[in-house]
């Protein structure tokens, strides 16, 4: 009889353990940290500038002595290409905000693109001092890029024409704080 009790008790314990294991929430998969590959300069040049330029150039009105020429996307392929550029521009801010991404490669940290642009080492320090502002500017760019993507999906030529200035302002706001603050107009 004692053996039966021990067997029954052991079975009950095993059953309770199995049930409690089965009702537990599955563990969330481990988060793989993002590893930056390119620098902020590279993301800006290869993705942001190129994508923004494609959107800027997609709609234009040129008036000359020979007449007026209107440039706009007309074919499915042209609209598909613009969707590609708008999506790239909308995703780029996510890349810019990856923790640990450097402004430039170590061998380029003391160079600048012009007389009023800070060297990357100083830009990096300004971003580190105010990461929240840098992220806000990246979010502003993403919001404008999403608006551009909406215009592309709606095949709105006027929307594309109008969004160019908003993209330029989103970029310039960040540049005036982080890249060439000496050009910032006093408030």
């Amino acid at each position: 009889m004692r053996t039966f009790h021990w067997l029954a008790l052991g079975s009950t314990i095993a059953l309770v353990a199995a049930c409690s294991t089965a009702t537990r929430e599955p563990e969330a998969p481990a988060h793989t940290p993002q590893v930056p590959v390119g620098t902020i300069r590279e993301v800006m040049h290869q993705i942001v500038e190129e994508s923004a330029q494609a959107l800027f150039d997609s709609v234009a009105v040129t008036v000359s002595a020979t007449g007026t020429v209107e440039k706009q996307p007309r074919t499915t392929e042209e609209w598909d290409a613009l969707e590609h550029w708008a999506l790239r521009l909308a995703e780029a801010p996510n890349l810019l905000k990856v923790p640990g991404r450097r402004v430039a490669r170590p061998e380029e940290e003391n160079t600048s693109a012009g007389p009023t642009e800070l060297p990357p080492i100083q830009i990096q320090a300004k971003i580190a001092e105010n990461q929240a502002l840098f992220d806000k500017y990246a979010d502003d760019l993403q919001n404008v890029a999403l608006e551009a993507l909406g215009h592309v999906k709606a095949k709105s030529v006027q929307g594309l024409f109008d969004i160019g200035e908003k993209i330029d302002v989103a970029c310039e706001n960040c540049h005036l704080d982080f890249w060439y603050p000496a050009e910032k107009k006093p408030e």
Side-chain angles (χ1 to χ4, degrees):
M1 190 72 151
R2 283 184 191 210
T3 304
F4 177 74
H5 288 301
W6 284 111
L7 285 175
L9 181 61
S11 298
T12 304
I13 292 171
L15 183 61
V16 169
C19 288
S20 68
T21 304
T23 59
R24 263 193 247 154
E25 292 282 324
E27 288 186 34
H31 177 68
T32 304
Q34 297 170 319
V35 178
V37 175
T39 64
I40 290 175
R41 269 184 168 179
E42 290 167 333
V43 170
M44 293 296 297
H45 180 64
Q46 300 296 333
I47 300 173
V48 175
E49 287 176 23
E50 195 172 75
S51 300
Q53 196 62 52
L55 293 168
F56 291 145
D57 293 345
S58 68
V59 178
V61 177
T62 307
V63 179
S64 67
T66 59
T68 301
V69 177
E70 291 184 16
K71 180 182 179 195
Q72 66 184 52
R74 298 183 196 286
T75 67
T76 300
E77 293 78 19
E78 290 171 329
W79 284 108
D80 286 348
L82 284 175
E83 186 172 344
H84 163 85
W85 293 115
L87 182 61
R88 280 177 49 141
L89 187 60
E91 287 290 354
N94 295 328
L95 296 174
L96 294 171
K97 295 189 304 184
V98 169
R101 187 175 306 278
R102 301 292 301 168
V103 170
R105 304 227 174 261
E107 65 274 12
E108 300 170 334
E109 286 189 332
N110 291 308
T111 65
S112 71
T116 60
E117 182 179 291
L118 297 175
I121 195 80
Q122 290 179 10
I123 297 169
Q124 192 79 51
K126 288 181 78 54
I127 292 171
E129 288 171 12
N130 201 343
Q131 185 70 48
L133 182 60
F134 182 78
D135 290 350
K136 179 208 170 296
Y137 286 139
D139 291 343
D140 291 348
L141 175 60
Q142 187 170 59
N143 290 334
V144 170
L146 287 170
E147 188 177 338
L149 183 60
H151 292 311
V152 170
K153 287 183 180 235
K155 294 182 173 41
S156 171
V157 173
Q158 186 62 49
L160 277 174
F161 185 79
D162 295 339
I163 201 70
E165 184 177 350
K166 289 181 177 182
I167 293 170
D168 188 50
V169 167
C171 293
E172 197 63 15
N173 285 340
C174 182
H175 296 169
L176 284 170
D177 269 326
F178 293 101
W179 266 251
Y180 33 86
E183 290 185 26
K184 193 171 185 177
K185 294 179 176 86
E187 294 177 29

